[in-house]
Amino acid sequence: MKSSLAQISSFGQSIWLDYIRRKFIASGELKKLIDDDDLRGVTSNPAIFEEAIARSDDYWEAIKTLAQSGKSTEEIFLAVAIEDVQNAADTFKGVYEQTHGLDGYVSLEVSPTLAMDTAGTIKEAQSSWQTLNRPNVMIKVPGTSEGLPAITQLISEGINVNVTLLFSLERYRQVAEAYVAGLEQRAKKGEPIDKVASVASFFLSRIDALVDPKLEKLANKSTDKAETAKQLLGKTAIASAKMAYQIYKEVFQSARFKALAEKGAKPQRLLWASTSTKNPAYRDVLYVESLIGPDTVNTVPMETLNAFRDHGQPAARLEEGTDDARNSLAQLAELGIDLAAVTQQLEEEGIQKFIKPFTSLMGVLEEKRKEAATL
């Protein structure tokens, strides 16, 4: 009997894990999840690496060797992160081959300090891609306005991209179009486009975490808006995701993309990110169960992965209630909640939430580098 997690793939969705750590790969735990639960990929970010490197001894020997060979703090970080991603990618090699390049990817983020720097993002992504030297890796690029031209450029060079920190529908559409433009540029150069892969990571729980308090404030007032506000609690993220999927279908079923598909191009799948439930009043697998549907990915933290295996109920729900989702977003505007302002705030905060652990990690690595140099 397949586990609840393994059953999700029968609905056309791939489950990836939002976690990486050296011991987790070396111990065979990652391989076990691939074999038992049909896990199909891994994502990482600066917060995950901070947790792994700064709060464990797994990396001390590697840090010591690199420090004693004269590497800088940032070079040490990139070296250990790249080794982890390479090892994880090698573990997923079979998945990559069996799915003909649809899955089996491991993602590495460019430095979050480059989120507003197009040229810097391109340069670091090119360097990491070359060093990783694996077909089944993706470079994570923030979906900021500065990230858009970087996405097009990298895709045109055949570099797989995981676009991260997406909150708004307008920005998501721009990202999908940036991907298509990159494929068009690559095809125009006469270069193959059948091996290029990309996902667009749409962040969920953070949307509700910011919108719900605004709704609660309105729900607690005795006005004609109170009941509407109450009914919208916990619905904004899922409604946004369902509308993003409608944009996905529009872009990737268009005549423009079909011309590329005939040359072997893959659609840029939507990936649901930030899928751990922040509000304890909501079901802990809310952002997994509600959004199962074809041609999508859900990247989940370990806690959510285990919760879904235990009591998740897999079923195709992504295209249920599309009209209700559209209405929910319209009602937010009627209540005076500006979703565009909310998503802009989330993008800015999201960048800071990755810069903070990255800066902290660099501080820890600097101390370890100095310590190693004295040995």
Side-chain angles (χ1 to χ4, degrees):
M1 178 83 179
K2 279 186 173 182
S3 72
S4 295
L5 275 166
Q7 288 175 46
I8 290 177
S9 61
S10 66
F11 300 101
Q13 184 173 86
S14 303
I15 293 294
W16 292 3
L17 179 66
D18 198 27
Y19 178 76
I20 198 165
R21 186 164 165 178
R22 188 154 294 190
K23 200 178 281 183
F24 169 67
I25 303 163
S27 67
E29 284 179 80
L30 176 59
K31 183 71 170 71
K32 190 174 189 307
L33 289 176
I34 295 168
D35 295 341
D36 295 355
D37 294 314
D38 199 15
L39 185 72
R40 295 196 173 193
V42 156
T43 50
S44 66
N45 62 46
I48 288 169
F49 273 115
E50 186 210 20
E51 182 72 29
I53 298 170
R55 299 164 204 271
S56 81
D57 295 325
D58 293 12
Y59 298 84
W60 170 241
E61 289 304 321
I63 292 167
K64 190 167 71 173
T65 304
L66 289 160
Q68 290 174 351
S69 68
K71 299 290 184 190
S72 70
T73 303
E74 195 136 335
E75 284 171 335
I76 291 170
F77 165 67
L78 271 174
V80 296
I82 279 168
E83 190 178 338
D84 277 4
V85 171
Q86 285 176 324
N87 290 337
D90 291 344
T91 308
F92 276 106
K93 191 181 177 189
V95 175
Y96 178 74
E97 289 168 352
Q98 286 154 23
T99 61
H100 305 289
L102 181 72
D103 281 307
Y105 292 95
V106 182
S107 297
L108 176 69
E109 190 138 359
V110 295
S111 168
T113 59
L114 298 170
M116 305 299 186
D117 180 350
T118 305
T121 294
I122 292 168
K123 188 179 175 187
E124 187 171 309
Q126 289 167 331
S127 172
S128 293
W129 173 259
Q130 204 170 356
T131 308
L132 283 162
N133 193 28
R134 301 288 189 279
N136 59 323
V137 295
M138 286 187 173
I139 308 299
K140 286 179 89 172
V141 172
T144 55
S145 54
E146 293 84 358
L148 294 170
I151 294 159
T152 299
Q153 178 66 31
L154 295 169
I155 292 296
S156 78
E157 294 176 15
I159 295 173
N160 300 329
V161 176
N162 176 342
V163 185
T164 185
L165 288 176
L166 295 175
F167 300 95
S168 90
L169 296 175
E170 185 187 353
R171 182 56 53 79
Y172 165 60
R173 185 187 288 277
Q174 291 170 340
V175 162
E177 287 174 353
Y179 169 69
V180 173
L183 289 176
E184 286 171 338
Q185 286 181 19
R186 186 165 175 80
K188 201 174 178 183
K189 291 184 284 187
E191 291 174 5
I193 57 174
D194 59 322
K195 297 281 194 290
V196 185
S198 181
V199 292
S201 298
F202 201 92
F203 280 51
L204 299 168
S205 62
R206 293 187 196 177
I207 296 176
D208 284 336
L210 192 56
V211 172
D212 278 0
K214 297 177 190 291
L215 290 169
E216 280 165 3
K217 202 177 279 185
L218 289 167
N220 291 331
K221 288 178 181 174
S222 53
T223 66
D224 54 346
K225 293 179 178 179
E227 192 53 42
T228 304
K230 206 175 291 180
Q231 286 171 359
L232 288 175
L233 285 166
K235 290 184 178 174
T236 309
I238 288 164
S240 296
K242 290 189 175 195
M243 297 322 298
Y245 190 64
Q246 296 307 305
I247 296 170
Y248 163 85
K249 290 202 301 181
E250 185 191 320
V251 172
F252 293 104
Q253 289 174 4
S254 67
R256 181 186 178 192
F257 185 73
K258 277 178 185 164
L260 294 163
E262 283 166 12
K263 295 175 181 173
K266 300 180 184 76
Q268 179 192 56
R269 288 183 296 171
L270 266 164
L271 177 150
W272 312 125
S274 182
T275 52
S276 61
T277 309
K278 305 286 189 281
N279 188 331
Y282 301 153
R283 191 165 160 80
D284 59 357
V285 288
L286 173 72
Y287 299 111
V288 184
E289 284 181 339
S290 307
L291 298 171
I292 297 171
D295 308 316
T296 55
V297 181
N298 196 320
T299 188
V300 292
M302 192 67 80
E303 193 180 354
T304 307
L305 185 95
N306 292 334
F308 196 93
R309 187 196 295 109
D310 180 65
H311 52 264
Q313 295 171 7
R317 301 185 183 92
L318 179 54
E319 294 206 82
E320 288 177 358
T322 302
D323 288 340
D324 290 343
R326 192 178 283 108
N327 291 338
S328 293
L329 298 185
Q331 284 176 313
L332 282 179
E334 287 163 16
L335 292 174
I337 294 173
D338 182 350
L339 199 53
V342 165
T343 53
Q344 183 58 38
Q345 182 184 334
L346 285 167
E347 182 185 296
E348 290 163 10
E349 287 177 356
I351 294 162
Q352 292 309 314
K353 279 180 180 169
F354 283 161
I355 288 175
K356 196 176 173 186
F358 184 75
T359 306
S360 163
L361 174 57
M362 289 299 116
V364 170
L365 278 176
E366 174 62 12
E367 285 171 24
K368 291 190 177 191
R369 187 187 68 78
K370 285 177 179 170
E371 186 185 340
T374 62
L375 296 174

